[in-house]
Amino acid sequence: MSKEEIMKNAMDDFGEIQEYMTSAHKENATETYAKLKKKYLRLKALLNNLGVNLTDIDEIKE
């Protein structure tokens, strides 16, 4: 898998996780939110390592 493919997949997953986190937060599903946050942080670290600027796409801001 190329760096570009990894980046695209991670960005897609990052957006999806943020949507789920927002829903879990609104529903006060703290356990679900905590699990999603772990994946969110791993994806955020990966994207940062790949050089992606998350300023505009990171909706969670944690």
Side-chain angles (χ1 to χ4, degrees), residues 19-30 33 36 62:
E19 289 178 30
Y20 292 142
M21 288 177 74
T22 301
S23 293
H25 183 71
K26 287 179 183 175
E27 295 172 11
N28 201 22
T30 54
Y33 186 87
L36 290 167
E62 288 187 10

Side-chain angles (χ1 to χ4, degrees), residues 26-50:
K26 287 179 183 175
E27 295 172 11
N28 201 22
T30 54
E31 185 176 331
T32 301
Y33 186 87
K35 289 179 181 179
L36 290 167
K37 186 174 178 181
K38 286 181 182 181
K39 182 162 186 168
Y40 159 82
L41 291 173
R42 288 192 304 270
L43 286 168
K44 189 172 181 175
L46 172 63
L47 290 168
N48 277 324
N49 192 335
L50 290 170

Side-chain angles (χ1 to χ4, degrees), residues 7-8 10-19 40 43-44 47-48 52-61:
M7 191 180 301
K8 185 204 176 303
M11 288 181 69
D12 290 346
D13 289 347
F14 190 71
E16 186 177 7
I17 288 296
Q18 289 187 96
E19 289 178 30
Y40 159 82
L43 286 168
K44 189 172 181 175
L47 290 168
N48 277 324
V52 175
N53 182 347
L54 299 175
T55 304
D56 292 334
I57 65 170
D58 189 356
E59 299 170 9
I60 304 299
K61 308 287 187 206

